[in-house]
Amino acid sequence: MYNQEQNIAPIEWFVIAKDANKALLVSKHIIDAQPYSGTVSLPTWLEETFRKSAFNDKESLGVTEVLLLSREQIDTYLKGQEFAKCEPTTFARSRGYSTNYASNYMWWTSESSSGGKHFVASQSGYLGRDVADDTKTNGVRPAIWVSFEYVRRKAWTFKK
């Protein structure tokens, strides 16, 4: 559950990869606007603040990791796929997400340059564009690894 369209609602997820014990999911929407660094780094925000807000205690047990996708993951799982397309939620826009990108919305990746800036992705794939870490104009499209053991117990349903 996370603030989506000015109300708390379940996050919609796409399954983008599976291994023997877990599945990698990415949110359908850009759900927030956060700077990459600042008083709290974005990876820390994802693991602490976002995890506590988005998942109840039982759900959180099944989430083995909350992350931003890497270049390799984006190129492997999203490039050319329909679910690579996403839009920001009303909440993300209200938090400072820029709407200047027409329909090619951008979100943070886990990749950084040697200059300390971070790269973004869009529906066309990994952009490799240096972006100042303190900007909130790029969105957060979180990914999670979820344990299959937990999924079987909770009977989560996923879009593919």
Side-chain angles (χ1 to χ4, degrees), residues 18 20 41 75 77-78 86 93 95 97 112 122 138 149:
K18 299 176 188 175
S41 74
D75 286 346
Y77 305 127
L78 294 185
C86 69
R93 290 175 195 257
R95 303 266 295 158
Y97 183 83
S112 63
S122 74
N138 292 294
E149 177 183 336

Side-chain angles (χ1 to χ4, degrees), residues 13-18 23-26 77 83 148 157-160:
W13 301 96
F14 290 113
V15 176
I16 60 172
K18 299 176 188 175
L24 178 61
L25 287 64
V26 67
Y77 305 127
F83 52 79
F148 279 145
T157 55
F158 304 109
K159 294 183 179 184
K160 177 72 175 161

Side-chain angles (χ1 to χ4, degrees), residues 126-144:
Y126 180 76
L127 295 178
R129 200 174 127 198
D130 285 346
V131 176
D133 291 355
D134 61 351
T135 183
K136 288 176 75 172
T137 60
N138 292 294
V140 180
R141 189 178 187 191
I144 58 174

Side-chain angles (χ1 to χ4, degrees), residues 66-117:
V66 181
L67 64 146
L68 298 172
L69 296 177
S70 68
R71 176 185 190 156
E72 181 180 351
Q73 290 166 324
I74 291 164
D75 286 346
T76 301
Y77 305 127
L78 294 185
K79 195 170 186 175
Q81 299 294 325
E82 182 64 25
F83 52 79
K85 296 177 184 173
C86 69
E87 293 185 8
T89 61
T90 301
F91 181 70
R93 290 175 195 257
S94 75
R95 303 266 295 158
Y97 183 83
S98 175
T99 56
N100 297 331
Y101 302 127
S103 62
N104 196 27
Y105 299 111
M106 291 187 263
W107 64 89
W108 292 113
T109 72
S110 64
E111 307 288 325
S112 63
S113 68
S114 59
K117 293 183 177 182

Side-chain angles (χ1 to χ4, degrees), residues 26-50:
V26 67
S27 65
K28 178 179 178 180
H29 302 285
I30 294 169
I31 62 159
D32 208 327
Q34 294 285 329
Y36 205 99
S37 64
T39 55
V40 177
S41 74
L42 188 51
T44 301
W45 179 86
L46 285 166
E47 273 295 340
E48 294 175 4
T49 306
F50 172 74

